Amino acid sequence: MNEFKIDRRIDLKGVPCPLNFVKTKLTLEGMDAGLILEVLLDDGEPIINVTASVKEEGHQILKVDKIFEHWKLVIKRQ
């Protein structure tokens, strides 16, 4: 099992689309390349849309874990 050193965490549970992606993108833009961001998201559209949008932005998805009714997304800033 891969464990990563998380450099920053944001909790976006309850934050609707597309605001959750906007907050994720702004957080990533404030980080240096190579750093790792952990994002907590709701099930459904949030995890689907944020994951796809982060990939489109060129960042690397390191891990996606379901934790009860929420998701933990681990992203490496490119």
Side-chain angles (χ1 to χ4, degrees):
M1 176 184 262
N2 289 337
E3 288 303 318
F4 306 98
K5 179 191 168 288
I6 305 299
D7 297 295
R8 189 119 185 247
R9 289 180 170 87
I10 54 174
D11 184 347
L12 299 178
K13 296 183 303 240
V15 177
C17 293
L19 191 54
N20 48 24
F21 170 64
V22 172
K23 289 182 177 221
T24 300
K25 181 177 178 171
L26 289 173
T27 301
L28 285 165
E29 287 176 355
M31 296 172 66
D32 291 333
L35 295 182
I36 297 176
L37 173 66
E38 179 184 278
V39 183
L40 299 179
L41 295 160
D42 292 323
D43 197 14
E45 283 188 4
I47 187 62
I48 294 166
N49 294 341
V50 172
T51 302
S53 297
V54 164
K55 285 181 185 176
E56 286 176 19
E57 292 281 317
H59 303 294
Q60 182 181 0
I61 304 295
L62 299 176
K63 192 173 187 181
V64 181
D65 281 335
K66 182 150 175 118
I67 304 169
F68 301 104
E69 70 274 4
H70 296 99
W71 290 86
K72 179 170 65 173
L73 182 61
V74 180
I75 305 162
K76 183 175 182 181
R77 165 79 157 95
Q78 297 299 311

Coordinates of all heavy atoms in Angstrom, one line a residue:
M1 N 0.8 -1.2 0.0 CA 0.0 0.0 0.0 C 0.9 1.2 0.0 O 1.8 1.4 0.8 CB -0.9 0.0 1.2 CG -1.8 1.2 1.4 SD -2.7 1.2 2.9 CE -4.3 0.6 2.2
N2 N 0.6 2.2 -0.9 CA 1.4 3.4 -1.0 C 0.9 4.4 -0.1 O -0.3 4.7 0.0 CB 1.3 4.0 -2.4 CG 2.1 3.1 -3.4 OD1 3.0 2.4 -3.0 ND2 1.8 3.3 -4.7
E3 N 1.7 5.0 0.7 CA 1.4 6.1 1.6 C 2.2 7.3 1.1 O 3.3 7.2 0.8 CB 1.6 5.8 3.1 CG 0.6 4.8 3.6 CD -0.8 5.2 3.5 OE1 -1.1 6.4 3.8 OE2 -1.6 4.3 3.2
F4 N 1.5 8.4 1.1 CA 2.2 9.7 0.6 C 2.3 10.7 1.7 O 1.4 10.8 2.6 CB 1.3 10.2 -0.5 CG 1.1 9.2 -1.6 CD1 -0.1 8.5 -1.6 CD2 2.0 9.0 -2.6 CE1 -0.4 7.6 -2.6 CE2 1.8 8.0 -3.6 CZ 0.6 7.3 -3.6
K5 N 3.3 11.5 1.7 CA 3.4 12.6 2.6 C 2.5 13.7 2.1 O 2.7 14.3 1.0 CB 4.9 13.2 2.6 CG 5.0 14.3 3.6 CD 6.4 15.0 3.4 CE 6.5 16.3 4.1 NZ 5.7 17.4 3.4
I6 N 1.4 14.0 2.8 CA 0.4 15.0 2.4 C 1.0 16.3 2.8 O 1.3 16.6 4.0 CB -0.9 14.7 3.1 CG1 -1.4 13.3 2.8 CG2 -2.0 15.7 2.7 CD1 -1.6 13.0 1.3
D7 N 1.1 17.2 1.9 CA 1.6 18.6 2.2 C 0.4 19.6 2.5 O 0.7 20.5 3.2 CB 2.3 19.1 0.9 CG 3.5 18.3 0.6 OD1 4.5 18.3 1.5 OD2 3.6 17.6 -0.4
R8 N -0.8 19.3 2.0 CA -1.9 20.2 2.3 C -3.2 19.4 2.2 O -3.3 18.4 1.4 CB -1.9 21.3 1.2 CG -2.9 22.4 1.5 CD -2.2 23.7 1.6 NE -3.1 24.7 1.9 CZ -3.5 25.7 1.2 NH1 -2.9 25.9 0.0 NH2 -4.4 26.6 1.6
R9 N -4.2 19.7 3.0 CA -5.5 19.0 3.1 C -6.6 20.1 3.0 O -6.5 21.1 3.6 CB -5.6 18.3 4.4 CG -4.8 17.0 4.5 CD -5.0 16.3 5.8 NE -4.4 15.0 5.8 CZ -3.1 14.8 6.2 NH1 -2.4 15.8 6.6 NH2 -2.6 13.6 6.2
I10 N -7.6 19.7 2.2 CA -8.8 20.6 2.2 C -10.0 19.7 2.3 O -10.1 18.6 1.7 CB -8.9 21.5 1.0 CG1 -8.8 20.8 -0.3 CG2 -7.9 22.6 1.1 CD1 -9.0 21.7 -1.6
D11 N -11.0 20.1 3.1 CA -12.3 19.4 3.3 C -13.4 20.1 2.5 O -13.8 21.2 2.9 CB -12.6 19.3 4.8 CG -13.8 18.5 5.0 OD1 -14.6 18.1 4.1 OD2 -14.0 18.2 6.2
L12 N -13.8 19.5 1.4 CA -14.8 20.1 0.5 C -16.1 19.3 0.6 O -17.0 19.4 -0.3 CB -14.3 20.2 -0.9 CG -13.1 21.1 -1.1 CD1 -12.6 21.1 -2.5 CD2 -13.3 22.5 -0.6
K13 N -16.3 18.5 1.7 CA -17.6 17.9 1.9 C -18.7 18.9 2.0 O -18.6 19.9 2.7 CB -17.6 17.0 3.1 CG -16.6 15.8 3.0 CD -16.6 14.9 4.2 CE -16.4 15.7 5.5 NZ -15.2 15.3 6.3
G14 N -19.8 18.7 1.2 CA -20.9 19.6 1.3 C -20.8 20.8 0.3 O -21.7 21.6 0.2
V15 N -19.6 20.9 -0.4 CA -19.4 22.0 -1.3 C -19.9 21.5 -2.7 O -19.4 20.5 -3.2 CB -17.9 22.4 -1.4 CG1 -17.7 23.5 -2.4 CG2 -17.4 22.9 0.0
P16 N -20.8 22.2 -3.3 CA -21.3 21.8 -4.6 C -20.4 22.0 -5.8 O -19.5 22.8 -5.7 CB -22.6 22.7 -4.8 CG -22.2 23.9 -4.1 CD -21.4 23.5 -2.9
C17 N -20.7 21.3 -6.9 CA -20.0 21.5 -8.2 C -20.5 22.8 -8.8 O -21.7 23.1 -8.6 CB -20.3 20.3 -9.1 SG -19.6 18.7 -8.6
P18 N -19.7 23.5 -9.5 CA -18.3 23.4 -9.7 C -17.4 24.0 -8.7 O -16.2 24.1 -8.9 CB -18.1 24.0 -11.1 CG -19.0 25.2 -11.1 CD -20.2 24.7 -10.3
L19 N -18.0 24.6 -7.6 CA -17.2 25.3 -6.6 C -16.1 24.4 -6.0 O -15.0 24.9 -5.7 CB -18.1 25.9 -5.5 CG -17.5 26.9 -4.6 CD1 -16.8 28.0 -5.3 CD2 -18.6 27.4 -3.6
N20 N -16.4 23.1 -5.8 CA -15.4 22.2 -5.2 C -14.2 22.1 -6.1 O -13.1 22.1 -5.6 CB -16.0 20.9 -4.9 CG -16.8 20.2 -5.9 OD1 -16.6 20.5 -7.1 ND2 -17.7 19.4 -5.6
F21 N -14.4 22.1 -7.4 CA -13.2 22.0 -8.3 C -12.5 23.4 -8.3 O -11.2 23.4 -8.3 CB -13.6 21.7 -9.8 CG -12.4 21.9 -10.7 CD1 -11.3 21.1 -10.6 CD2 -12.4 22.8 -11.7 CE1 -10.2 21.3 -11.4 CE2 -11.3 23.0 -12.5 CZ -10.2 22.3 -12.4
V22 N -13.2 24.5 -8.3 CA -12.6 25.8 -8.3 C -11.7 25.9 -7.0 O -10.5 26.3 -7.1 CB -13.6 26.9 -8.3 CG1 -13.0 28.3 -8.0 CG2 -14.4 26.9 -9.6
K23 N -12.2 25.5 -5.9 CA -11.4 25.5 -4.6 C -10.1 24.6 -4.7 O -9.1 24.9 -4.3 CB -12.2 25.2 -3.4 CG -13.2 26.3 -3.1 CD -14.0 26.0 -1.9 CE -15.0 27.1 -1.6 NZ -15.1 27.4 -0.2
T24 N -10.3 23.4 -5.3 CA -9.2 22.5 -5.5 C -8.2 23.1 -6.4 O -7.0 23.1 -6.1 CB -9.7 21.1 -6.1 OG1 -10.7 20.6 -5.2 CG2 -8.6 20.2 -6.3
K25 N -8.6 23.6 -7.5 CA -7.7 24.3 -8.5 C -6.9 25.4 -7.9 O -5.7 25.5 -8.1 CB -8.5 24.7 -9.7 CG -7.6 25.4 -10.8 CD -8.4 25.8 -12.0 CE -7.5 26.5 -13.0 NZ -8.1 26.7 -14.3
L26 N -7.6 26.3 -7.1 CA -6.9 27.4 -6.5 C -5.9 26.9 -5.5 O -4.8 27.5 -5.4 CB -7.9 28.3 -5.9 CG -8.8 29.1 -6.8 CD1 -9.9 29.9 -6.1 CD2 -7.9 30.1 -7.7
T27 N -6.2 25.9 -4.7 CA -5.3 25.3 -3.8 C -4.1 24.8 -4.5 O -2.9 25.1 -4.0 CB -6.0 24.3 -2.9 OG1 -7.1 24.8 -2.2 CG2 -5.0 23.7 -1.9
L28 N -4.3 24.0 -5.5 CA -3.2 23.5 -6.3 C -2.3 24.6 -6.9 O -1.1 24.5 -6.9 CB -3.7 22.6 -7.4 CG -4.2 21.2 -6.9 CD1 -5.0 20.5 -8.0 CD2 -3.0 20.3 -6.5
E29 N -2.9 25.6 -7.4 CA -2.1 26.8 -7.9 C -1.2 27.4 -6.9 O -0.2 28.0 -7.3 CB -3.1 27.8 -8.6 CG -3.7 27.3 -9.9 CD -4.7 28.3 -10.5 OE1 -5.0 29.3 -9.8 OE2 -5.2 28.0 -11.6
G30 N -1.6 27.4 -5.7 CA -0.8 28.0 -4.6 C 0.2 27.0 -4.0 O 0.9 27.4 -3.1
M31 N 0.4 25.9 -4.6 CA 1.4 24.9 -4.2 C 2.5 24.8 -5.2 O 2.3 25.0 -6.4 CB 0.7 23.5 -4.0 CG -0.4 23.5 -2.9 SD -1.3 22.0 -2.8 CE -0.1 20.8 -2.3
D32 N 3.7 24.3 -4.7 CA 4.8 24.1 -5.7 C 4.6 22.7 -6.3 O 4.0 21.8 -5.8 CB 6.1 24.1 -4.9 CG 6.5 25.5 -4.4 OD1 6.0 26.5 -5.0 OD2 7.2 25.5 -3.4
A33 N 5.2 22.6 -7.5 CA 5.1 21.3 -8.3 C 5.8 20.3 -7.4 O 6.8 20.5 -6.7 CB 5.9 21.5 -9.6
G34 N 5.1 19.1 -7.4 CA 5.7 17.9 -6.7 C 5.0 17.8 -5.3 O 5.1 16.7 -4.7
L35 N 4.3 18.8 -4.8 CA 3.7 18.7 -3.5 C 2.4 17.9 -3.7 O 1.8 17.8 -4.8 CB 3.4 20.1 -2.9 CG 4.7 20.8 -2.6 CD1 4.3 22.2 -1.9 CD2 5.6 20.0 -1.6
I36 N 1.9 17.4 -2.6 CA 0.7 16.5 -2.6 C -0.4 17.1 -1.8 O -0.3 17.5 -0.6 CB 1.1 15.1 -2.1 CG1 2.1 14.5 -3.0 CG2 -0.2 14.2 -1.9 CD1 2.7 13.2 -2.6
L37 N -1.6 17.1 -2.4 CA -2.8 17.7 -1.8 C -3.8 16.5 -1.6 O -4.1 15.7 -2.5 CB -3.5 18.7 -2.8 CG -4.8 19.2 -2.4 CD1 -4.8 20.0 -1.1 CD2 -5.4 20.1 -3.6
E38 N -4.4 16.5 -0.4 CA -5.5 15.6 -0.1 C -6.8 16.4 -0.1 O -6.9 17.4 0.6 CB -5.2 14.9 1.2 CG -6.3 14.0 1.7 CD -6.1 13.4 3.0 OE1 -5.3 12.5 3.2 OE2 -6.7 14.0 4.0
V39 N -7.8 15.9 -0.8 CA -9.1 16.6 -0.9 C -10.2 15.6 -0.4 O -10.2 14.5 -0.9 CB -9.4 17.0 -2.3 CG1 -10.7 17.8 -2.4 CG2 -8.3 17.9 -2.9
L40 N -11.1 16.0 0.5 CA -12.2 15.2 0.9 C -13.4 15.8 0.1 O -13.7 17.0 0.1 CB -12.5 15.3 2.4 CG -11.3 14.8 3.2 CD1 -11.7 15.0 4.7 CD2 -11.0 13.4 3.0
L41 N -14.2 14.8 -0.5 CA -15.3 15.2 -1.4 C -16.5 14.3 -1.1 O -16.3 13.2 -0.7 CB -14.9 15.0 -2.9 CG -13.8 15.9 -3.4 CD1 -13.2 15.3 -4.7 CD2 -14.4 17.3 -3.7
D42 N -17.6 14.8 -1.5 CA -18.9 14.0 -1.5 C -18.9 13.0 -2.6 O -18.2 13.1 -3.6 CB -20.1 14.9 -1.6 CG -20.3 15.9 -0.4 OD1 -20.0 15.4 0.7 OD2 -20.7 17.0 -0.6
D43 N -19.7 12.0 -2.4 CA -20.0 11.0 -3.4 C -20.8 11.6 -4.6 O -21.4 12.6 -4.5 CB -20.8 9.8 -2.8 CG -20.7 8.5 -3.6 OD1 -19.9 8.4 -4.5 OD2 -21.5 7.6 -3.3
G44 N -20.7 10.9 -5.7 CA -21.5 11.3 -6.9 C -20.7 12.3 -7.7 O -19.5 12.1 -8.0
E45 N -21.4 13.3 -8.2 CA -20.8 14.3 -9.1 C -19.5 14.9 -8.6 O -18.5 15.1 -9.4 CB -21.8 15.4 -9.4 CG -22.8 15.0 -10.4 CD -23.6 16.2 -10.9 OE1 -23.3 17.4 -10.5 OE2 -24.6 16.0 -11.7
P46 N -19.4 15.3 -7.3 CA -18.1 15.9 -6.9 C -16.9 15.0 -7.1 O -15.9 15.5 -7.7 CB -18.4 16.1 -5.4 CG -19.8 16.3 -5.3 CD -20.4 15.3 -6.2
I47 N -16.9 13.8 -6.7 CA -15.7 12.9 -7.0 C -15.5 12.7 -8.4 O -14.3 12.7 -8.9 CB -15.8 11.6 -6.1 CG1 -14.4 10.8 -6.2 CG2 -16.9 10.7 -6.6 CD1 -13.3 11.6 -5.7
I48 N -16.5 12.5 -9.2 CA -16.4 12.2 -10.6 C -15.8 13.5 -11.3 O -14.8 13.4 -12.1 CB -17.7 11.8 -11.3 CG1 -18.2 10.5 -10.7 CG2 -17.7 11.8 -12.8 CD1 -19.6 10.1 -11.0
N49 N -16.5 14.6 -11.1 CA -16.1 15.9 -11.8 C -14.7 16.4 -11.4 O -13.9 16.8 -12.2 CB -17.2 16.9 -11.6 CG -18.5 16.5 -12.3 OD1 -18.5 15.7 -13.2 ND2 -19.5 17.2 -11.9
V50 N -14.4 16.4 -10.1 CA -13.2 16.9 -9.6 C -12.0 16.1 -10.1 O -11.0 16.6 -10.6 CB -13.1 17.1 -8.1 CG1 -11.7 17.5 -7.6 CG2 -14.2 18.2 -7.7
T51 N -12.2 14.8 -10.0 CA -11.1 13.8 -10.5 C -10.8 14.1 -12.0 O -9.7 14.2 -12.4 CB -11.5 12.4 -10.3 OG1 -11.8 12.2 -8.9 CG2 -10.4 11.4 -10.7
A52 N -11.9 14.1 -12.8 CA -11.7 14.4 -14.2 C -11.1 15.7 -14.5 O -10.1 15.8 -15.4 CB -13.1 14.2 -15.0
S53 N -11.5 16.7 -13.8 CA -11.0 18.1 -14.1 C -9.5 18.2 -13.7 O -8.7 18.9 -14.3 CB -11.9 19.1 -13.4 OG -13.2 19.1 -13.9
V54 N -9.2 17.6 -12.5 CA -7.8 17.6 -12.1 C -6.9 17.0 -13.1 O -5.8 17.5 -13.4 CB -7.7 17.0 -10.7 CG1 -6.2 16.7 -10.3 CG2 -8.3 17.9 -9.6
K55 N -7.3 15.8 -13.6 CA -6.5 15.1 -14.7 C -6.4 16.0 -15.9 O -5.3 16.1 -16.5 CB -7.2 13.8 -15.1 CG -7.0 12.7 -14.0 CD -7.7 11.5 -14.5 CE -7.7 10.4 -13.5 NZ -8.4 9.2 -13.9
E56 N -7.5 16.7 -16.3 CA -7.4 17.6 -17.5 C -6.5 18.7 -17.3 O -5.9 19.2 -18.2 CB -8.8 18.1 -17.8 CG -9.8 17.1 -18.4 CD -11.2 17.7 -18.6 OE1 -11.3 18.9 -18.6 OE2 -12.1 16.9 -18.8
E57 N -6.3 19.2 -16.0 CA -5.4 20.2 -15.7 C -3.9 19.8 -15.7 O -3.0 20.6 -15.6 CB -5.7 20.8 -14.3 CG -7.0 21.5 -14.2 CD -6.9 23.0 -14.8 OE1 -5.9 23.7 -14.5 OE2 -7.9 23.3 -15.5
G58 N -3.7 18.4 -15.8 CA -2.4 17.9 -16.0 C -1.8 17.4 -14.7 O -0.6 17.0 -14.6
H59 N -2.6 17.4 -13.6 CA -2.1 16.9 -12.3 C -2.2 15.4 -12.2 O -3.0 14.8 -13.0 CB -2.8 17.6 -11.2 CG -2.7 19.0 -11.2 ND1 -1.5 19.7 -11.0 CD2 -3.6 20.0 -11.4 CE1 -1.7 21.0 -11.2 NE2 -3.0 21.2 -11.4
Q60 N -1.5 14.7 -11.3 CA -1.5 13.3 -11.2 C -2.4 12.9 -10.0 O -2.2 13.3 -8.9 CB -0.1 12.8 -11.0 CG 0.1 11.3 -10.9 CD 1.5 10.9 -10.7 OE1 2.4 11.7 -10.6 NE2 1.7 9.6 -10.6
I61 N -3.3 12.0 -10.3 CA -4.1 11.4 -9.2 C -3.3 10.2 -8.6 O -3.0 9.2 -9.3 CB -5.5 10.9 -9.7 CG1 -6.2 12.0 -10.4 CG2 -6.3 10.3 -8.6 CD1 -6.7 13.2 -9.6
L62 N -2.9 10.3 -7.4 CA -2.2 9.2 -6.7 C -3.0 8.2 -6.1 O -2.7 7.0 -6.0 CB -1.2 9.8 -5.7 CG -0.2 10.8 -6.2 CD1 0.6 11.4 -5.0 CD2 0.7 10.2 -7.2
K63 N -4.2 8.6 -5.6 CA -5.0 7.7 -4.8 C -6.4 8.2 -4.7 O -6.6 9.4 -4.6 CB -4.4 7.5 -3.4 CG -5.0 6.4 -2.6 CD -4.2 6.3 -1.3 CE -4.5 5.0 -0.5 NZ -3.8 4.9 0.7
V64 N -7.4 7.3 -4.8 CA -8.8 7.6 -4.6 C -9.4 6.6 -3.6 O -9.3 5.4 -3.9 CB -9.6 7.6 -5.9 CG1 -11.0 8.0 -5.7 CG2 -9.0 8.5 -6.9
D65 N -9.8 7.0 -2.5 CA -10.3 6.1 -1.5 C -11.7 6.5 -1.1 O -12.0 7.7 -0.8 CB -9.5 6.1 -0.2 CG -8.2 5.3 -0.3 OD1 -8.2 4.3 -1.1 OD2 -7.3 5.6 0.4
K66 N -12.6 5.5 -1.0 CA -14.0 5.8 -0.4 C -13.9 5.6 1.1 O -13.4 4.6 1.6 CB -15.0 4.8 -1.1 CG -16.4 5.1 -0.5 CD -17.4 4.8 -1.6 CE -18.8 5.0 -1.0 NZ -19.6 6.0 -1.5
I67 N -14.4 6.6 1.8 CA -14.4 6.6 3.3 C -15.9 6.8 3.7 O -16.3 8.0 3.7 CB -13.5 7.6 3.9 CG1 -12.1 7.4 3.3 CG2 -13.6 7.6 5.4 CD1 -11.1 8.5 3.7
F68 N -16.6 5.7 3.9 CA -18.0 5.8 4.2 C -18.8 6.5 3.1 O -18.6 6.0 1.9 CB -18.3 6.5 5.6 CG -17.7 5.8 6.7 CD1 -16.5 6.3 7.3 CD2 -18.2 4.6 7.2 CE1 -15.9 5.6 8.4 CE2 -17.5 3.9 8.2 CZ -16.4 4.4 8.8
E69 N -19.4 7.6 3.3 CA -20.2 8.2 2.2 C -19.3 9.3 1.5 O -19.9 10.0 0.6 CB -21.5 8.8 2.6 CG -21.4 10.0 3.5 CD -21.2 9.7 5.0 OE1 -21.1 8.5 5.4 OE2 -21.2 10.6 5.8
H70 N -18.1 9.5 1.8 CA -17.2 10.5 1.2 C -16.0 9.9 0.5 O -15.8 8.7 0.6 CB -16.8 11.5 2.3 CG -17.9 12.2 2.9 ND1 -18.4 11.9 4.1 CD2 -18.6 13.3 2.5 CE1 -19.4 12.7 4.4 NE2 -19.5 13.6 3.4
W71 N -15.3 10.7 -0.2 CA -14.1 10.2 -0.9 C -12.9 11.1 -0.5 O -13.0 12.2 -0.2 CB -14.3 10.4 -2.4 CG -15.3 9.5 -3.0 CD1 -16.6 9.6 -3.0 CD2 -15.0 8.2 -3.5 NE1 -17.2 8.5 -3.6 CE2 -16.3 7.6 -3.9 CE3 -13.9 7.5 -3.8 CZ2 -16.4 6.4 -4.5 CZ3 -14.0 6.2 -4.4 CH2 -15.2 5.7 -4.8
K72 N -11.7 10.4 -0.5 CA -10.4 11.1 -0.3 C -9.7 10.9 -1.6 O -9.4 9.9 -2.1 CB -9.6 10.4 0.9 CG -8.3 11.0 1.1 CD -7.6 10.6 2.4 CE -7.3 9.1 2.3 NZ -6.5 8.7 3.5
L73 N -9.3 12.1 -2.1 CA -8.6 12.2 -3.4 C -7.2 12.7 -3.1 O -7.1 13.8 -2.4 CB -9.4 13.1 -4.3 CG -8.8 13.4 -5.7 CD1 -8.8 12.1 -6.5 CD2 -9.7 14.4 -6.4
V74 N -6.2 12.0 -3.5 CA -4.8 12.4 -3.3 C -4.2 12.8 -4.6 O -4.1 12.0 -5.6 CB -3.9 11.3 -2.6 CG1 -2.5 11.8 -2.4 CG2 -4.6 10.9 -1.3
I75 N -3.7 14.1 -4.7 CA -3.3 14.7 -6.0 C -1.9 15.2 -5.9 O -1.5 15.8 -4.9 CB -4.2 15.9 -6.4 CG1 -5.7 15.5 -6.4 CG2 -3.8 16.5 -7.7 CD1 -6.6 16.7 -6.3
K76 N -1.1 14.9 -6.9 CA 0.3 15.4 -7.0 C 0.3 16.6 -7.9 O -0.1 16.5 -9.1 CB 1.3 14.3 -7.4 CG 2.7 14.8 -7.4 CD 3.7 13.7 -7.8 CE 5.1 14.2 -7.8 NZ 6.0 13.1 -8.1
R77 N 0.7 17.7 -7.4 CA 0.8 19.0 -8.2 C 1.9 18.8 -9.3 O 3.0 18.5 -9.0 CB 1.1 20.1 -7.3 CG 1.5 21.4 -8.0 CD 0.3 22.2 -8.5 NE 0.5 23.6 -8.7 CZ 0.9 24.1 -9.9 NH1 1.2 23.4 -10.9 NH2 1.1 25.4 -10.0
Q78 N 1.5 19.1 -10.5 CA 2.5 19.0 -11.6 C 2.9 20.4 -12.0 O 2.3 21.4 -11.8 CB 1.9 18.3 -12.8 CG 1.5 16.8 -12.5 CD 2.7 16.0 -12.1 OE1 3.7 16.0 -12.8 NE2 2.5 15.2 -11.0

